[in-house]
Amino acid sequence: MAKKKENNVKVVTALCIILAVASLVTIKLVQLNTTTNQPAVNKTAKNQHEAFIEKVAPTAVQIQQQDHVPASISIAQAALESDWGTSKLASDYNNLYGVKGSADTKNIDLPTKEFVHGEWKTVQAPFRWYDSWNQSMWAHASLLVNGTSDNANRYASVLQSNDYRGAAKALVTGGYATDPQYAEKLIEIIETYHLDKYDKQ
């Protein structure tokens, strides 16, 4: 009886060891798979982002030379607002900056998220419909230069800022976006992709 009991203990112990080893192998495989796949996803996204930057940077530099809108801001805003050119508003209606429409412009009504009274809400709003990304970028520059109908100097501080950090914060002060983290998001994009190099061109 004692020997049988001893054998049972050995069997249980062996099973526990096998299960433990199997669990460790599974964990390692999952970790290996995650480690292997993650850089590939990041690399793909980075390549897409860099392709977007290359596409819009020449116009951003032209705008900077003519209207003094920092090229880094033009590019970063376009990337953030359009999800690197992949949003429906950007891909279907060429609106890179989430610019709202008015009674005398060509518009499309789409749902959008607004940060109101401390929380995000989805609302339906009219957005400008442009013929091209290039047209959208110049219209965005015009908005920053000329302001809005109620305040022509709304974004004057953006143009007067000494660097992209000041310009990003000035956009928020001017009321360009309701997102409380808007400036920080722009700055992160600029610094991640070194977009300030375009400000020197």
Side-chain angles (χ1 to χ4, degrees):
M1 179 67 71
K3 188 172 182 179
K4 185 176 181 180
K5 186 175 182 180
E6 182 180 346
N7 288 337
N8 288 339
V9 171
K10 288 181 178 179
V11 170
V12 171
T13 302
L15 287 173
C16 289
I17 292 173
I18 291 171
L19 288 173
V21 171
S23 297
L24 287 173
V25 170
T26 301
I27 291 171
K28 287 294 183 182
L29 286 173
V30 171
Q31 290 177 339
L32 179 61
N33 187 55
T34 302
T35 303
T36 302
N37 290 337
Q38 193 62 37
V41 173
N42 289 340
K43 185 175 181 180
T44 298
K46 185 178 181 181
N47 289 341
Q48 292 174 342
H49 295 173
E50 290 177 345
F52 175 82
I53 291 169
E54 288 180 8
K55 187 171 183 178
V56 301
T59 300
V61 171
Q62 290 176 6
I63 289 171
Q64 175 179 260
Q65 293 171 346
Q66 177 175 310
D67 292 334
H68 308 294
V69 177
S72 61
I73 290 294
S74 292
I75 299 170
Q77 273 198 281
L80 179 60
E81 294 283 353
S82 72
D83 193 16
W84 300 93
T86 65
S87 71
K88 183 177 181 63
L89 188 59
S91 60
D92 292 354
Y93 306 104
N94 296 309
N95 189 331
L96 289 174
Y97 297 93
V99 175
K100 299 288 179 59
S102 59
D104 59 346
T105 60
K106 183 180 179 182
N107 306 324
I108 180 69
D109 286 338
L110 291 173
T112 184
K113 288 186 177 181
E114 299 285 355
F115 194 75
V116 182
H117 303 306
E119 62 180 354
W120 287 101
K121 293 184 177 181
T122 299
V123 298
Q124 199 77 6
F127 290 91
R128 289 287 303 273
W129 185 343
Y130 297 105
D131 295 330
S132 65
W133 282 7
N134 190 62
Q135 184 186 38
S136 175
M137 294 182 73
W138 282 101
H140 170 259
S142 178
L143 172 63
L144 298 186
V145 171
N146 300 313
T148 55
S149 58
D150 64 314
N151 185 358
N153 295 314
R154 180 177 293 279
Y155 302 113
S157 295
V158 176
L159 309 181
Q160 297 166 0
S161 296
N162 295 322
D163 56 33
Y164 63 85
R165 286 177 170 273
K169 293 174 182 177
L171 281 168
V172 176
T173 303
Y176 190 94
T178 59
D179 184 352
Q181 300 299 316
Y182 193 76
E184 287 75 10
K185 290 177 181 178
L186 290 179
I187 292 170
E188 182 179 3
I189 291 173
I190 292 170
E191 294 182 347
T192 298
Y193 293 94
H194 308 291
L195 301 183
D196 56 315
K197 67 183 179 183
Y198 295 106
D199 294 340
K200 302 176 178 65
Q201 295 184 18

